[in-house]
DNA sequence: TTTCTGGGCCTACAT
DNA sequence: GGCCCAGAAA
């Protein structure tokens, strides 16, 4: 049987195995389609089978198909799974919103006043650019933090607003307007775009150039958008523009998993789809193939309190299974110890592997305790996010050099590389060079060839600048004839980046290792051959790569990941940690209750990642911002029916003597700490104390903090503990 | 003018 | 616990 026959049979088999709702989605060929796909409802299977079916039916050619996702990982997976079912899918466009837009933009950059060699500014570059702007405006960065403007500008762009179209409601907005305008001018001079621009400029391109829009519309006969609930206004517009004519638009999403409101995503895009396309077919996938009924019931108990949601409820035929384990531990270290104990136990007695387990937390900072404890206990783990590979200094330095070689107009990039390694060139020199380049209207590279012609440039900076200029020009000449990997190598050698890290002490090895890894990644672009195009591709894909993209399924180890990045993944065993008021829900949502529904969804997303077992943990004290504070179980925990919670409350005994049932005790805990700030110490070192769980001990140290008195106590039986004098059940001996 | 160092300050989630 | 900035030293 030829390969295509085999594939056809496989496709047929897949379609047969679908439930009725799934099959209806797969067999829908034309016209608008909205699929509400609940967590674990087989969404990816439906999407890939549907694409394969469209191709197999001869409905479209692969190149006429556009599928948009939010992560490269999802895109890669979709492409691979379709390729297994039909052959010749190379021309199909499957990518993230940002990479798809970047691809369209590079093709017609000059139509909207850009060149194809534009660079993409990441969050760091963006902040650096804003700092420059604020400096030019003589604004105090203390009173006007760059991050705030970055946020406001990003929000405006997400809604397709520009500095001249943002609504003015007060003097604050006028200030924003000027910062915004100068920021845009700086980016334009630098031939750079920020993340949001990729979408905004593409929308602008399609709106202003009718022939470009017409060509894309004619090409993409079928458009498919995943995670539609996470689209913002600009992304919505991009999709609408492309699909308006043929209306073969299929969107998939779940309003209960909308957790990106803070970056401009608007759930209404999915909730109002039927208004945009009244003839749309709406399909709900409510059968869950992932979790046990107990897990689904628990997740539903949390999400059901949201009022504005499309009514639906997941069900499964997986009855039985474990109840939800809820545990309150003393602090974040013991929380990690508890998780480690449980993982060790599951490996020992249930034949689980570390790779079956995941620890989900709200903030990256929470990973630390787990890294420490797992490291000590030799439990293998893989950390997703945190100090990201792409944000490591050596990686950024190296890429910044390549970016500047690629685009010598980039003043922000120039400022970044000019003194790495140390060249005794400071901000004053940089300012002089950038100002002169702007005045003469030449790029920075040509100016470096004649530093004596730059007014105001300190004498000491002239020679090193000339050397740097010669190196960069030499490297730029190599650009046409070398692959990205080779150019990277030449750059590291010529600039001496590896030598710069030689004295870097204990981090040296890690840094050099990261450089080697970066080189390995660059090698993936060897297939495009030498030249500018391959380099451009490497640089833009590298800046659009996300942390989950690097997540290797085969790699073994407990996954440590934030609740946001875990969306779309699943694990047999899930530990959702730090389920406390202040983390889940986050402090900001407690201050601003309009954000509460999204917090519920964050929690819901976390819970529904679990296949077989779900643990929810919280701590009694938590170390945050360098100081230890009282913590309180999340209000969401109190919404779980007691019948779903396992009667086990290990670890909780360390906090207070067991009474009644665990959920009863949760209900008794106050929501907010109300302890008055102590003015004088109640204990001194040497005091003898007794604790119901730890026994008797001696106070080693007493420290007054802002809201509490923190005690270090050495217990004879339980070792050294840090306790709160106002909260711990201590008595003097 | 640049580099170094100590102290104040904040600190989600991320393409 | 890390980042940014002010002030001192080179």
């Amino acid at each position: 049987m030829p390969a295509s026959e085999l594939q056809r049979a496989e496709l047929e088999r897949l379609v047969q195995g679908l439930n009725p709702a799934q099959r209806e989605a797969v067999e829908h060929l034309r016209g608008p389609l909205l699929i509400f796909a609940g967590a674990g409802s087989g969404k990816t299977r439906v999407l890939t089978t549907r694409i394969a079916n469209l191709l197999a039916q001869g409905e479209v050619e692969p190149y006429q198909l556009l599928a948009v996702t939010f992560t490269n990982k999802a895109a890669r997976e979709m492409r691979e799974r379709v390729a297994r079912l039909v052959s010749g899918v190379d021309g199909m466009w499957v990518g993230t919103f940002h990479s798809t837009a970047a691809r369209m933009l590079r093709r017609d950059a000059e139509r909207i006043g850009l060149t194809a060699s534009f660079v993409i500014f990441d969050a760091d570059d963006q902040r650096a650019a804003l700092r420059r702007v604020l400096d030019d405006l003589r604004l105090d960065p203390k009173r006007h933090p760059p991050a705030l403007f970055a946020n406001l500008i990003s929000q405006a762009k997400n809604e397709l607003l520009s500095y001249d179209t943002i609504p003015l409601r007060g003097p604050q907005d006028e200030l924003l307007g000027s910062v915004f305008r100068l920021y845009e001018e700086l980016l334009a001079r630098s031939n750079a775009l920020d993340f949001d621009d990729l979408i905004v400029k593409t929308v602008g391109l399609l709106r202003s150039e009718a022939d470009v829009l017409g060509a894309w519309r004619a090409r993409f006969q079928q458009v498919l958008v995943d995670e539609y609930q996470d689209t913002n206004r600009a992304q919505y517009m991009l999709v609408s523009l492309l699909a308006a004519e043929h209306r073969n638009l299929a969107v998939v999403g779940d309003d209960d998993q909308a957790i990106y409101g803070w970056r401009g995503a608007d759930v209404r895009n999915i909730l109002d789809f039927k208004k945009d396309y009244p003839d749309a077919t709406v399909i709900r996938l409510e059968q869950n193939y992932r979790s046990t009924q107990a897990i689904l019931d628990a997740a539903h108990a949390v999400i059901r309190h949201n009022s504005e949601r499309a009514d639906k409820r997941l069900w499964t035929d997986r009855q039985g299974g474990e109840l939800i384990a809820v545990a309150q531990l003393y602090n974040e270290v013991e929380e990690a110890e508890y998780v480690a104990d449980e993982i060790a136990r599951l490996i020992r007695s249930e034949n689980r592997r570390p790779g079956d387990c995941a620890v989900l937390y709200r903030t990256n900072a929470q990973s630390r305790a787990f890294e420490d404890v797992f490291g000590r206990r030799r439990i293998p783990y893989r950390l997703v996010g945190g100090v990201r590979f792409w944000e490591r200094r050596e990686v950024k330095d190296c890429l910044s050099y390549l970016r500047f070689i690629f685009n010598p107009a980039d003043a922000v990039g120039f400022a970044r590389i000019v003194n790495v390694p140390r060249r005794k060139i400071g901000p004053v020199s940089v300012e002089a060079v950038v100002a002169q380049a702007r005045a003469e209207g030449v790029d920075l590279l040509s100016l470096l060839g004649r530093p004596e012609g730059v007014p105001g440039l300190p004498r000491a900076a002239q020679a090193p600048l000339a050397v740097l200029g010669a190196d960069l020009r030499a490297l730029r000449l190599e650009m046409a004839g070398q692959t990205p990997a080779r150019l990277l190598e030449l750059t590291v050698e010529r600039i001496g980046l590896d030598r710069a890290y030689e004295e870097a002490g204990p981090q040296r090895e890690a840094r050099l290792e990261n450089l080697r890894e970066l080189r390995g990644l660059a090698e993936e672009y060897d297939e495009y051959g030498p030249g500018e195009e391959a380099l451009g591709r490497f640089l833009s894909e590298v800046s659009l790569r996300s942390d989950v993209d690097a997540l290797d399924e085969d790699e073994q180890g407990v996954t440590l990941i934030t609740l946001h990045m875990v969306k779309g993944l699943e694990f047999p065993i899930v530990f959702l940690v730090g389920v406390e008021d202040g983390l889940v829900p986050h402090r900001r949502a407690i201050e601003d209750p309009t954000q509460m529904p999204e917090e519920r969804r964050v929690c819901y997303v976390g819970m529904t990642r679990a296949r077989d077992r779900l643990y929810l943990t919280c701590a009694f004290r938590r170390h945050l911002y360098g100081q230890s504070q009282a913590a309180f179980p999340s209000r969401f925990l109190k919404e779980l029916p007691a019948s779903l919670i396992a009667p086990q409350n290990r670890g909780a005994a360390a906090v207070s003597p067991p009474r009644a049932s665990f959920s009863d005790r949760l209900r008794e805990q106050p929501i907010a700490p109300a302890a008055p700030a102590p003015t004088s110490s109640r204990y001194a070192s040497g005091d003898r104390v007794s604790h119901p769980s730890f026994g008797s001990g001696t106070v080693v140290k007493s420290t007054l903090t802002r809201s509490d008195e923190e005690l270090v106590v050495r217990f004879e039986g339980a070792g050294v503990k840090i306790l709160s004098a106002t909260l711990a059940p201590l008595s003097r001996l």
Side-chain angles (χ1 to χ4, degrees):
Chain A
M1 206 161 39
S4 59
E5 281 294 310
L6 272 175
Q7 287 174 326
R8 198 173 283 270
E10 170 68 6
L11 177 57
E12 183 58 27
R13 197 186 60 79
L14 264 175
V15 173
Q16 293 302 324
L18 298 172
N19 69 38
Q22 291 177 323
R23 192 187 303 191
E24 190 189 349
V26 165
E27 289 174 348
H28 177 102
L29 297 181
R30 292 184 203 176
L33 172 66
L34 165 61
I35 306 172
F36 280 111
S41 61
K43 178 186 71 172
T44 312
R45 198 186 329 158
V46 168
L47 282 180
T48 51
T49 315
R50 178 165 183 270
I51 294 175
N53 189 49
L54 284 170
L55 297 172
Q57 301 283 325
E59 193 65 24
V60 282
E61 293 299 315
Y63 75 92
Q64 294 176 309
L65 217 145
L66 172 67
V68 190
T69 61
F70 272 84
T71 66
N72 290 297
K73 183 169 177 285
R76 202 189 317 134
E77 200 177 305
M78 197 182 294
R79 172 181 291 281
E80 280 166 7
R81 286 173 68 162
V82 173
R84 256 180 267 153
L85 299 172
V86 282
S87 30
V89 297
D90 284 352
M92 189 166 78
W93 273 34
V94 187
T96 64
F97 265 104
H98 290 88
S99 66
T100 303
R103 218 166 150 184
M104 290 183 169
L105 273 182
R106 292 231 191 258
R107 232 172 247 203
D108 289 301
E110 68 293 341
R111 297 286 290 269
I112 51 167
L114 293 163
T115 69
S117 63
F118 64 81
V119 294
I120 300 167
F121 272 11
D122 66 12
D124 259 11
D125 304 315
Q126 198 182 12
R127 233 181 323 144
L130 278 166
R131 221 178 283 277
R132 270 192 79 76
V133 167
L134 293 175
D135 200 49
D136 286 349
L137 286 172
R138 310 261 179 280
L139 287 174
D140 179 7
K142 279 241 172 73
R143 286 190 51 206
H144 307 278
L148 176 71
F149 284 105
N151 241 324
L152 293 172
I153 290 175
S154 174
Q155 259 168 25
K157 288 186 176 182
N158 286 334
E159 293 180 26
L160 289 171
L161 295 170
S162 182
Y163 56 85
D164 47 0
T165 51
I166 43 171
L168 292 178
R169 287 160 319 218
Q172 270 301 323
D173 289 341
E174 265 176 57
L175 180 61
L176 171 62
S178 358
V179 174
F180 197 165
R181 184 171 57 81
L182 289 172
Y183 171 75
E184 292 291 278
E185 286 169 7
L186 174 56
L187 259 66
R189 276 202 305 280
S190 303
N191 192 24
L193 299 180
D194 65 24
F195 285 136
D196 304 311
D197 281 338
L198 292 172
I199 315 286
V200 174
K201 301 282 183 195
T202 306
V203 169
L205 170 73
L206 298 182
R207 274 180 171 167
S208 69
E209 311 298 307
D211 58 321
V212 175
L213 175 61
W216 289 121
R217 278 182 172 175
R219 168 167 178 175
F220 293 128
Q221 287 299 307
Q222 287 279 350
V223 178
L224 206 143
V225 185
D226 192 12
E227 307 278 15
Y228 195 64
Q229 78 282 357
D230 288 335
T231 50
N232 59 38
R233 180 83 203 159
Q235 290 161 334
Y236 166 87
M237 196 50 74
L238 179 58
V239 170
S240 305
L241 279 166
L242 290 171
E245 215 171 81
H246 51 66
R247 298 162 52 84
N248 293 324
L249 171 63
V251 303
V252 190
D254 179 4
D255 51 312
D256 287 337
Q257 296 187 65
I259 56 174
Y260 286 99
W262 50 274
R263 66 175 196 205
D266 190 346
V267 212
R268 279 175 304 177
N269 289 342
I270 191 164
L271 294 177
D272 291 349
F273 188 79
K274 190 80 182 165
K275 281 187 200 151
D276 294 336
Y277 302 90
D279 55 327
T281 304
V282 181
I283 295 174
R284 287 163 208 276
L285 305 180
E286 291 178 288
Q287 181 173 4
N288 173 291
Y289 296 93
R290 178 186 294 157
S291 312
T292 63
Q293 192 64 49
I295 291 169
L296 293 183
D297 287 345
H300 186 255
V302 172
I303 201 70
R304 61 185 279 263
H305 290 96
N306 276 357
S307 49
E308 274 186 52
R309 52 186 289 266
D311 186 44
K312 55 195 141 14
R313 178 157 188 175
L314 293 176
W315 60 276
T316 176
D317 48 25
R318 271 192 75 185
Q319 295 305 325
E322 303 286 328
L323 291 174
I324 314 301
V326 179
Q328 186 181 31
L329 292 309
Y330 180 69
N331 61 14
E332 71 280 344
V333 176
E334 303 206 346
E335 182 180 49
E337 301 272 10
Y338 168 77
V339 171
D341 284 343
E342 281 299 301
I343 291 173
R345 188 178 68 76
L346 292 167
I347 291 172
R348 219 179 320 111
S349 62
E350 294 191 12
N351 207 21
R352 297 291 191 171
R353 294 170 311 163
D356 293 334
C357 307
V359 178
L360 278 42
Y361 39 77
R362 183 62 212 269
T363 67
N364 277 306
Q366 286 169 262
S367 72
R368 177 164 239 105
F370 291 90
E371 290 178 75
D372 289 350
V373 169
F374 287 4
R376 211 172 337 113
R377 306 260 302 246
R378 314 224 176 263
I379 296 175
Y381 66 87
R382 49 183 190 162
L383 178 71
V384 184
V387 188
R388 301 171 180 83
F389 179 75
W390 306 107
E391 287 169 17
R392 304 251 161 87
R393 242 197 36 215
E394 58 280 10
V395 174
K396 281 216 73 168
D397 289 344
C398 211
L399 288 174
S400 298
Y401 268 99
L402 289 182
R403 270 171 41 175
F404 187 73
I405 290 162
F406 181 68
N407 172 29
D410 178 3
V412 176
F414 175 71
R416 196 186 149 79
I417 63 173
V418 72
N419 207 29
V420 178
R422 295 264 136 81
R423 293 190 181 92
K424 299 190 196 301
I425 305 171
V428 174
S429 311
V430 173
E431 188 46 47
V433 175
V434 171
Q436 183 63 15
R438 199 173 150 187
E440 288 186 31
V442 297
D443 73 42
L444 294 155
L445 202 45
S446 55
L447 205 60
L448 293 185
R450 43 184 174 88
E452 59 287 347
V454 178
L457 183 67
R459 233 191 130 61
Q462 287 188 10
L465 270 178
V467 173
L468 174 64
D471 285 341
L472 289 172
R473 270 194 305 279
L475 288 165
R476 189 165 159 82
L477 286 177
E478 296 282 0
M479 182 168 69
Q482 305 289 354
T483 61
R486 182 72 190 128
L487 188 67
L488 191 148
E489 214 164 60
L490 289 171
T491 306
V492 170
E493 270 167 37
R494 178 131 196 167
I495 302 295
L497 280 174
D498 46 353
R499 267 172 285 130
Y501 304 121
E502 267 168 21
E503 321 120 71
Q507 293 176 340
R508 180 175 164 266
E509 251 326 297
R511 292 218 151 116
L512 295 177
E513 180 50 44
N514 286 332
L515 283 186
R516 279 190 289 272
E517 191 176 338
L518 181 61
R519 192 184 177 285
L521 288 165
E523 274 169 13
E524 290 173 21
Y525 293 80
D526 280 358
E527 57 176 300
Y528 298 105
E532 191 170 351
E533 206 199 313
L535 182 63
R537 215 179 166 108
F538 169 61
L539 290 175
S540 81
E541 286 183 21
V542 137
S543 24
L544 296 176
R545 225 178 260 218
S546 77
D547 291 310
V548 253
D549 296 339
L551 210 155
D552 182 353
E553 309 284 301
D554 303 331
E555 203 181 311
Q556 271 309 303
V558 180
T559 302
L560 307 182
I561 191 169
T562 65
L563 284 165
H564 281 84
M565 285 198 293
V566 82
K567 185 150 68 97
L569 305 179
E570 60 172 49
F571 299 89
I573 297 150
V574 164
F575 295 88
L576 178 43
V577 304
V579 190
E580 293 151 27
D581 267 7
L583 286 171
V584 185
H586 193 267
R587 209 180 75 217
R588 297 217 192 166
I590 294 173
E591 288 160 10
D592 170 13
T594 61
Q595 295 185 36
M596 200 53 83
E598 183 149 317
E599 296 298 310
R600 276 181 197 289
R601 296 192 290 260
V602 168
C603 186
Y604 175 81
V605 165
M607 294 172 82
T608 51
R609 299 308 98 195
R611 282 219 286 266
D612 307 333
R613 276 172 181 276
L614 175 62
Y615 290 81
L616 305 172
T617 67
C618 56
F620 174 71
R621 291 186 70 78
R622 188 167 290 276
H623 208 70
L624 272 175
Y625 319 136
Q627 69 169 329
S628 187
Q629 294 170 343
F632 299 87
S634 167
R635 55 194 71 191
F636 298 160
L637 278 180
K638 301 176 180 84
E639 294 165 1
L640 299 183
S643 59
L644 292 176
I645 299 177
Q648 134 213 39
N649 36 0
R650 290 187 44 184
V655 173
S656 57
R659 289 178 314 213
S661 76
F662 185 77
S663 49
D664 284 345
R665 273 196 298 120
L666 286 183
R667 271 175 251 276
E668 284 170 21
Q669 295 247 8
I671 292 297
T679 48
S680 64
S681 306
R682 294 201 283 177
Y683 297 90
S685 48
D687 287 357
R688 296 279 299 154
V689 293
S690 157
H691 185 279
S693 310
F694 302 141
S696 56
T698 310
V699 175
V700 179
K701 192 178 148 202
S702 157
T703 320
L704 273 184
T705 65
R706 207 178 298 167
S707 62
D708 199 357
E709 177 182 352
E710 189 167 298
L711 300 175
V712 181
V713 183
R714 183 185 304 281
F715 290 99
E716 275 94 62
V720 176
K721 301 280 175 193
I722 299 167
L723 301 172
S724 149
T726 48
L727 292 167
L730 281 180
S731 49
R732 280 177 192 279
L733 286 181

